[in-house]
Amino acid sequence: MLVAACALMTLPALIPTGAAQAAPPFRAQVRVDQVGYASGASKRAYLMTSTARPGATFRVVDARGDIFYSSVVGADQGSWSGTYTHVYALDFNGVHRTGSFHVVASDGSMQVRSPVFRIATPAALYATAMANSLSFYQNERDGPDLISSALRSAPGHLNDEEAMTYLIPDVNSNGDFKGDLTSLGVSIDAAGGWWDAGDYLKFTETISYVVGMMETDVRDFPSQLGAGSATADYTAEAAFGLNWLENMWNDSTKTLYLQVGIGEGNSQIVGDHDIWRVPQVDDTYGGSSPEDRYIRNRPVFRAGAPGSLISPNLAGRLAADFALCYQLDRVTEPAEAAGCLKSAEDIFSLADTHPGRLQTAIPFDFYPEKEWRDDLEWGATELYDALSTGPVPASVPQTDATYYLRQAAHWARAYITGPYDAADSLNLYDVTGLAHFDLYRAIEHAGNPAGLEVTRTQLLGDIAKQLDKAAAQSAADPFGFGFPWDTFDTTSHGAGLVVMAAEYDQLTGTDTFARSGARWLGNILGANAWGTSLIVGDGTTFPDCMQHQVANLAGSLNGAGPVLAGAAVEGPNSFAATGLVAGMRPCPADGVDTFAPFNSATAVFQDNVQSWSTDEPALDLTAATPMAFAWQIDNDPSVP
């Protein structure tokens, strides 16, 4: 090693003084929204180059080469990386012709072509993407209610139907714990629900968020994501997720359960993350080996003793879920809906409004949520909407809708004046993108009553505050993205921003954020430095090598199919994780990182089964995408 180091140090002296250095090769790429552009919306692609090309031109051409638009490249948006030092905007807003196209950029010494994309009506453009999102959740189903597919041939974790409950163990930041678990001697039916991500754990934390998003989809966009859709009706899937939550909450004993399964084991116990397999093998995994006992018979962890206070993030989201259940089912299934409403009120009444560290998952570092006032705002708002829609069942403890309107306004005010106001955008960790929007409409529905702790103007201003931060971030990014590329959950934040932009414009009757929303959606669908859609199956280039066991073991590793269509991955991040688990199919097979040339000094994307930090899909990451697509089609959602 010392000899090699010395040899490297002497290399510069071997180059003759004044010898010409070879210029680095010229590089150029065109990046587009690979799903396409709505015919009436703004349209922007990007030319990224290694040297300045201010006089370059671009044209929009169809498959025959016919030119539909041509222009000089737009303004230089700034440097992306040491390799791609210039990014030019390519705007073609005036192209309304529907069809399939390429962008071709050229000058005297270069010609570079984009992937194919469509221009179409929003309904035609996003129909497949919305159906893909639904298929992701169907493939992520656990328990006996399997929907067979090219990826799923058998149900998994049937032993969850009689799962033993346990006290929450003490764990370190990796999820490892000492000794054994402490049984509570009570079994529950914890089957069903969706796996959390590429593993097989199930969390009340994430499923409660996803169910609320789906129920809102069904309520607000019935033609796109509800009963009016032939290909993307979320009604059954929302009910499937809600059924699991009903099993995790015992209303008669006021007991909440938090999690199914162990992430990391220890020297005596195998955990979910320690092995790589398809889900149907778990019920008999390891035969009678004691170290695999919690793979075969997965533990369910109780959040707290019966009747104890509930972490407010969970209380608020669960109250919203069950209140939305009542809104959706009160006419067709009145008895079931009445039970949902009572659960919603009971859970909300047990919210711990002076919490220490929130309860999320075991360990907490899996989902380190900090904000909770937004969840209580959301829960109270949906309870108001539930109680104000018609006759109220006699079984519920609180029948006055205005009580919950006041509660919603109180928690909205607490959020706006709290420590995390507008620190985030719509995603698992901040649901004001739903809560503020619905509360604004609820106050309007109630006739704008006096005496509430927050006004519609203040709610609208807080939505704008979050969007203005995104706009400022966009101005500093060559690709105009509203969220830092080097941060976790890039994809879901992008979709959440698209939703919030549409909400603001709908409430104000303007198109203030319409252009930004279209560009942010384009960013996660391929108009980014890496030229990849961050949602599987949406576009021409998308992740092939996700850290997802079923996709890796039963799916294609080259995008040809079957693929886990609709799965939104983490996206670009500050690092690409490494780490093999026995049984993984290597992907990419040749080990070549095709996206490495497009990384910057701070943001990287790697399509590799090992890189959970960029390439793992998850329930919460995907939840906002169908709603983002639906907003592009219908900018006037149903009023609850």
Side-chain angles (χ1 to χ4, degrees):
M1 292 297 291
L2 289 174
V3 172
C6 291
L8 288 171
M9 291 176 66
T10 62
L11 279 176
L14 300 177
I15 300 174
T17 303
Q21 298 279 340
F26 173 73
R27 293 181 174 88
Q29 302 285 338
V30 174
R31 304 309 198 195
V32 297
D33 180 332
Q34 294 176 16
V35 169
Y37 301 87
S39 52
S42 65
K43 303 170 185 69
R44 172 170 284 189
Y46 299 89
L47 170 65
M48 49 194 290
T49 63
S50 57
T51 59
R53 287 294 194 275
T57 62
F58 74 97
R59 58 192 185 274
V60 178
V61 302
D62 66 8
R64 296 181 302 179
D66 293 339
I67 299 173
F68 288 86
Y69 184 83
S70 63
S71 179
V72 177
V73 300
D76 190 337
Q77 305 297 298
S79 175
W80 168 251
S81 68
T83 300
Y84 291 96
T85 53
H86 300 271
V87 178
Y88 297 96
L90 312 180
D91 291 324
F92 49 104
N93 300 327
V95 180
H96 303 295
R97 175 75 173 266
T98 60
S100 296
F101 303 91
H102 290 87
V103 168
V104 180
S106 60
D107 63 11
S109 60
M110 72 151 188
Q111 179 166 298
V112 58
R113 174 183 291 248
S114 77
V116 67
F117 61 87
R118 297 171 64 205
I119 296 177
T121 65
L125 202 61
Y126 298 112
T128 298
M130 292 189 298
N132 283 346
S133 299
L134 177 58
S135 74
F136 164 72
Y137 286 104
Q138 292 172 336
N139 275 307
E140 209 79 353
R141 280 191 176 200
D142 201 25
D145 294 327
L146 174 75
I147 296 178
S148 296
S149 72
L151 293 173
R152 298 289 312 281
S153 60
H157 303 116
L158 300 182
N159 289 349
D160 285 355
E161 292 180 301
E162 295 182 1
M164 181 55 64
T165 60
Y166 296 83
L167 291 175
I168 294 174
D170 292 327
V171 297
N172 62 22
S173 61
N174 293 322
D176 301 329
F177 58 91
K178 295 179 179 180
D180 205 346
L181 302 178
T182 301
S183 171
L184 293 166
V186 176
S187 296
I188 68 167
D189 181 358
W194 304 288
W195 316 316
D196 183 61
D199 54 30
Y200 299 132
L201 302 178
K202 297 185 290 192
F203 300 112
T204 300
E205 164 80 4
T206 52
I207 292 180
S208 63
Y209 168 67
V210 172
V211 167
M213 292 289 285
M214 284 187 181
E215 290 173 317
T216 302
D217 289 337
V218 172
R219 182 195 68 186
D220 287 3
F221 299 99
S223 296
Q224 292 76 37
L225 301 170
S229 173
T231 58
D233 181 0
Y234 273 79
T235 303
E237 207 61 23
F240 173 80
L242 182 75
N243 181 68
W244 186 81
L245 293 176
E246 289 176 320
N247 288 343
M248 299 301 280
W249 167 250
N250 187 322
D251 196 56
S252 62
T253 63
K254 306 297 184 288
T255 306
L256 178 65
Y257 297 96
L258 197 64
Q259 176 173 326
V260 178
I262 297 171
E264 308 292 340
N266 56 32
S267 58
Q268 290 83 40
I269 297 171
V270 173
D272 183 274
H273 294 177
D274 298 324
I275 54 178
W276 196 258
R277 74 286 186 201
V278 290
Q280 56 264 36
V281 306
D282 278 7
D283 285 334
T284 58
Y285 191 88
S288 59
S289 63
E291 62 268 24
D292 297 313
R293 62 188 180 278
Y294 293 129
I295 298 296
R296 293 188 299 273
N297 296 287
R298 304 198 299 173
V300 177
F301 297 109
R302 190 182 69 181
S308 60
L309 295 179
I310 298 171
S311 189
N313 54 316
L314 298 176
R317 281 205 295 274
L318 287 166
D321 294 339
F322 287 119
L324 282 160
C325 160
Y326 179 78
Q327 294 175 42
L328 292 171
D329 296 342
R330 66 184 183 85
V331 174
T332 57
E333 299 180 60
E336 166 75 12
C340 282
L341 186 57
K342 185 174 185 303
S343 290
E345 292 201 9
D346 289 342
I347 291 169
F348 190 86
S349 70
L350 289 172
D352 182 356
T353 57
H354 296 89
R357 190 175 75 174
L358 301 179
Q359 274 190 328
T360 59
I362 306 165
F364 174 74
D365 285 4
F366 281 2
Y367 287 102
E369 186 174 20
K370 296 179 181 178
E371 182 55 89
W372 50 273
R373 300 157 190 85
D374 57 321
D375 297 296
L376 291 179
E377 177 193 350
W378 189 23
T381 299
E382 300 310 337
L383 277 163
Y384 166 79
D385 286 340
L387 292 175
S388 64
T389 53
V392 178
S395 58
V396 299
Q398 176 58 258
T399 59
D400 181 8
T402 60
Y403 168 79
Y404 288 110
L405 189 64
R406 291 192 296 270
Q407 285 288 308
H410 170 78
W411 291 114
R413 179 69 177 172
Y415 172 88
I416 291 171
T417 59
Y420 303 111
D421 175 44
D424 209 343
S425 57
L426 176 59
N427 74 112
L428 172 68
Y429 299 116
D430 191 321
V431 296
T432 50
L434 297 177
H436 281 3
F437 180 70
D438 275 4
L439 180 54
Y440 183 105
R441 296 194 296 174
I443 293 172
E444 187 174 50
H445 176 260
N448 200 30
L452 296 178
E453 292 184 47
V454 73
T455 66
R456 287 186 295 162
T457 299
Q458 290 169 328
L459 292 169
L460 193 62
D462 205 53
I463 295 174
K465 186 176 180 180
Q466 296 185 30
L467 290 169
D468 287 341
K469 288 182 64 176
Q473 171 64 31
S474 296
D477 178 63
F479 294 91
F481 192 42
F483 189 75
W485 290 111
D486 59 348
T487 308
F488 277 101
D489 300 356
T490 321
T491 309
S492 66
H493 277 92
L497 286 171
V498 174
V499 171
M500 294 183 67
E503 289 175 337
Y504 181 89
D505 286 357
Q506 196 278 331
L507 293 178
T508 59
T510 69
D511 60 357
T512 303
F513 289 102
R515 180 165 295 184
S516 294
R519 290 177 183 171
W520 295 333
L521 186 57
N523 289 143
I524 63 175
L525 294 173
N528 54 56
W530 300 271
T532 183
S533 171
L534 300 171
I535 304 174
V536 176
D538 295 354
T540 51
T541 300
F542 49 79
D544 297 328
C545 301
M546 291 181 295
Q547 185 163 112
H548 188 281
Q549 293 175 90
V550 167
N552 178 254
L553 295 173
S556 156
L557 303 185
N558 60 10
V563 298
L564 190 63
V569 300
E570 281 280 357
N573 207 330
S574 61
F575 72 104
T578 59
L580 283 169
V581 179
M584 277 183 173
R585 293 169 68 194
C587 191
D590 59 7
V592 175
D593 183 358
T594 58
F595 294 105
F598 312 119
N599 291 336
S600 73
T602 57
V604 305
F605 177 74
Q606 187 175 101
D607 185 19
N608 189 305
V609 68
Q610 297 186 48
S611 184
W612 59 267
S613 58
T614 63
D615 222 26
E616 185 176 23
L619 299 178
D620 61 292
L621 301 181
T622 304
T625 56
M627 188 179 290
F629 297 138
W631 267 109
Q632 308 314 298
I633 301 168
D634 182 3
N635 63 1
D636 189 18
S638 301
V639 177

